[in-house]
Each structure stands twice: as C-alpha cells, then as structure tokens.
C-alpha cells in the first residue's frame, strides 16, 4: 500500500500513525498531543506560508535572545500564562500550605548566605528601606527549624542585579532559626516591567499589553522532608495587582508593607510548607 497523496483531511492521522511506535510512553503522549494541537491550530488559523515563516522567524529570534543571563522562552511562557498553568496543575492549593507562584528568570543559584537580620541591599541601592520577618512551619503548625530561604528582588529602579553590571545585590540565602523564625532587611518592592526590549516585548506591544509586574519579593523555601516552594509576597495597594504581565498574583500572597515611625517599611509573613510529595504519596 502506498501512503502518499495526503490531504488536509488525512495528513494528521498519518503523522500520528508514524509516531505510534514511540517506545517512551510519556514522550508518545506528549508528541501525539502536540501534533494534534499544532494541526488543529493551523486548520483554525489557516496561515499563509509568509505568515507561517513569520512565526518561525519569531521563535528563531526568541532563541537568539537566550543566554546564561536572559531566558526569553521562560519569559514567553510566563507572559502567555503557561508557567502559571503548569503551576496550578502541578502544585495546586488543596491544603493550607502557602501558595506558589511563578519562578521567573532572575533566580540565581548560589546567592551569598547571610546571617538573619542582614540587609540584602548594598549601601546606595535605589529604593526605600524595608524590614521583613516571619516564620516557616509545616502543615502541623510546627516550626521548620533551619529552613533555607532564598530571597531576591528588583531595586527601586526596577532592575535585578543581573540586569546591571554591578555584581550580586538584592539577593541572599538565609537559614531560619530553630524556632522557624527569619528576618532580614531589603528595599520595599516596587512595580517594574519584565524585560520588554526583545521578541516578547514586541509580542506584548503588538497585542496591546503592558509589561508591568506589581511589586513583589521572591522567595524559594526548602527543607528536608518538605516540597520546595517558590513564591512571592506582593505589596497590597500596588496598581498592577490586577494586570500582572505574568498572571502570578494570588490573594493569599498580597500583604501590607506599612511604614513605621522611623520611615522603614515593615512586612511579615508566616510560610507553611507541604510535606514532600514522596512522603505524601506513600
Ligand atoms: C520576575 O518576577 O522576576 C519575573 C517573572 C516572570 C517574568 C519576568 C520576571
Ligand atoms: Fe520579580
């Protein structure tokens, strides 16, 4: 039997037939779904060859913008809501544990470990002084002694350290005390635009969207026996809470940053970690 002379009606089935023998079951599931959805997309949109090539050029350009400091594909996934969709599906909010949100492209492995109470902002960093404290506990309410907290944020000028030539700033790793408590100094988070000088910025502009994120502090929390949590604390009252460019805002993560008598903003949050999935599934 010759298998040729395909038409718009028969081609999809033949592509699917050819990947039926994929040995890895999960890869087969992923590829089958990808082919079905891609073909359905093309049937619906009916792009001209020039339009299809414009799409390919856009993806090529997106790749060219990626290096060890800039991840344009993460940004694309974030701004199209896909990162948060994966987060909802994978992490869920079926318990009283602290909710997660998007990791973003500015986490750096190996930030300097600082003693509790240290200021993660070097002298001269733009922004208003801020003091953040809180606790880390498990679902049972017991403190998670020695939990590791990675914290990172943009300065008052809206830039992360990795976007400037200045070296490490506004990021650190802390270890909660035996009572699960932590505290540190930083600058009050300000709203800022996601990088929008590349292909994703063009996509946002072309679709009438702004690139702004509401002010937030990033946290990554980990401790043996608990699931790793990456999340943010957002500033209540920020004008971009309802139009975050990456769809990451959850009410439970929006907190007050109140100015005290000395002009320092203060905020506090009690994090609750889930027991590790491996333990839960037993
Ligand atoms: C961030 O908050 O750092 C971020 C998240 C997603 C995309 C760009 C930036
Ligand atoms: Fe951020």
């Amino acid at each position: 039997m010759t298998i040729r002379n395909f038409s718009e009606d028969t081609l999809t089935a033949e592509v699917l037939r050819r990947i039926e023998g994929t040995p890895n079951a999960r890869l087969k599931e992923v590829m089958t779904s990808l082919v079905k959805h891609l073909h359905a997309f093309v049937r619906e949109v009916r792009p001209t060859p020039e339009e299809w090539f414009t799409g390919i050029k856009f993806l090529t350009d997106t790749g060219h913008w990626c290096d060890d400091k800039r991840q344009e594909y993460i940004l694309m996934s974030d701004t199209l809501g896909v990162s948060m969709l994966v987060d909802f599906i994978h992490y869920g909010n079926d318990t009283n544990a602290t909710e997660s949100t998007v990791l973003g492209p500015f986490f750096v492995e190996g930030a300097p470990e600082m003693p509790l109470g240290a200021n993660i902002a070097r002298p001269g960093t733009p922004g208003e002084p801020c003091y953040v404290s809180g606790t880390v506990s498990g679902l049972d309410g017991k403190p998670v002694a020695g939990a590791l907290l990675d914290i990172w944020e943009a300065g008052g000028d809206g830039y992360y350290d990795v976007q400037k030539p200045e070296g490490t700033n506004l990021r650190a790793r802390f270890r909660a005390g035996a009572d699960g408590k932590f505290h540190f100094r930083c600058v009050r988070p300000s709203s800022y635009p996601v990088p929008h000088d590349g292909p994703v910025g063009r996509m946002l502009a072309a679709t009438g969207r702004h690139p702004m994120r509401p002010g937030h502090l990033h946290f990554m929390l980990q401790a043996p026996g608990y699931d790793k949590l990456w999340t943010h604390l957002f500033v209540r009252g920020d004008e971009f809470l309802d139009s975050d460019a990456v769809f990451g805002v959850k009410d439970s993560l929006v907190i007050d940053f109140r100015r005290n008598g000395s002009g320092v903003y203060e905020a506090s949050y009690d994090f609750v970690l889930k027991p590790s999935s491996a333990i839960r599934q037993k």
Side-chain angles (χ1 to χ4, degrees):
M1 181 175 72
T2 50
I3 299 180
R4 56 178 72 166
N5 298 322
F6 301 110
S7 68
E8 188 183 329
D9 296 329
T10 60
L11 180 61
T12 307
E14 174 58 12
V15 178
L16 292 175
R17 194 190 65 77
R18 285 197 205 176
I19 58 178
E20 251 169 24
T22 305
N24 180 311
R26 180 65 171 155
L27 179 64
K28 181 175 167 186
E29 184 185 353
V30 170
M31 289 301 297
T32 301
S33 180
L34 182 69
V35 168
K36 280 186 188 163
H37 283 88
L38 263 179
H39 283 224
F41 170 78
V42 170
R43 274 197 193 87
E44 180 178 317
V45 173
R46 309 199 83 70
T48 63
E50 290 74 23
E51 285 172 333
W52 188 242
F53 192 59
T54 301
I56 287 175
K57 274 201 301 204
F58 177 73
L59 294 178
T60 306
D61 199 19
T62 301
H64 286 155
W65 275 74
C66 294
D67 59 24
D68 56 341
K69 293 231 163 70
R70 176 81 177 249
Q71 232 303 350
E72 199 72 359
Y73 277 112
I74 294 184
L75 201 53
M76 192 190 299
S77 159
D78 295 343
T79 51
L80 291 177
V82 183
S83 302
M84 283 308 294
L85 194 53
V86 172
D87 174 81
F88 294 139
I89 291 166
H90 184 70
Y91 204 83
N93 65 347
D94 52 340
T95 67
N96 291 328
T98 302
E99 292 193 279
S100 57
T101 191
V102 65
L103 173 66
F106 297 123
F107 171 68
V108 175
E109 209 59 74
E113 188 156 343
M114 292 188 183
L116 288 173
N119 194 344
I120 68 171
R122 288 202 310 238
T125 301
E128 294 160 299
C130 185
Y131 174 78
V132 179
S133 60
T135 61
V136 185
S137 65
L139 282 173
D140 55 5
K142 293 199 178 118
V144 179
L148 267 184
L149 297 101
D150 272 283
I151 289 141
W152 66 106
E153 66 168 340
D157 56 358
Y159 289 106
Y160 285 83
D161 57 354
V162 290
Q163 296 175 286
K164 305 207 285 192
E166 62 176 23
T168 303
N169 192 15
L170 295 166
R171 65 179 72 240
R173 174 171 269 197
F174 293 98
R175 222 170 253 284
D179 51 3
K181 290 189 178 165
F182 67 87
H183 62 119
F184 61 91
R185 294 177 183 279
C186 59
V187 295
R188 188 176 85 113
S190 322
S191 50
Y192 67 85
V194 300
H196 58 292
D197 52 347
V200 170
R202 292 205 313 272
M203 182 269 291
L204 290 174
T207 52
R209 292 173 55 187
H210 71 67
M212 298 301 291
R213 295 214 66 204
H216 57 273
L217 259 179
H218 289 261
F219 285 80
M220 179 187 286
L221 290 96
Q222 43 193 326
Y226 296 90
D227 273 355
K228 186 189 274 191
L229 169 69
W230 48 72
T231 192
H232 303 355
L233 295 179
F234 292 96
V235 180
R236 192 180 317 283
D238 191 291
E239 64 176 303
F240 296 107
L241 284 172
D242 288 322
S243 63
D244 181 6
V246 303
F247 311 96
V249 180
K250 295 178 178 176
D251 269 343
S252 67
L253 303 174
V254 178
I255 62 164
D256 293 317
F257 283 73
R258 286 212 178 87
R259 203 167 196 169
N260 68 20
S262 341
V264 174
Y265 284 89
E266 289 184 354
S268 99
Y269 198 80
D270 296 326
F271 291 98
V272 179
L273 301 182
K274 285 184 192 178
S276 73
S277 317
I279 292 172
R280 284 203 310 275
Q281 276 157 20
K282 273 188 192 156

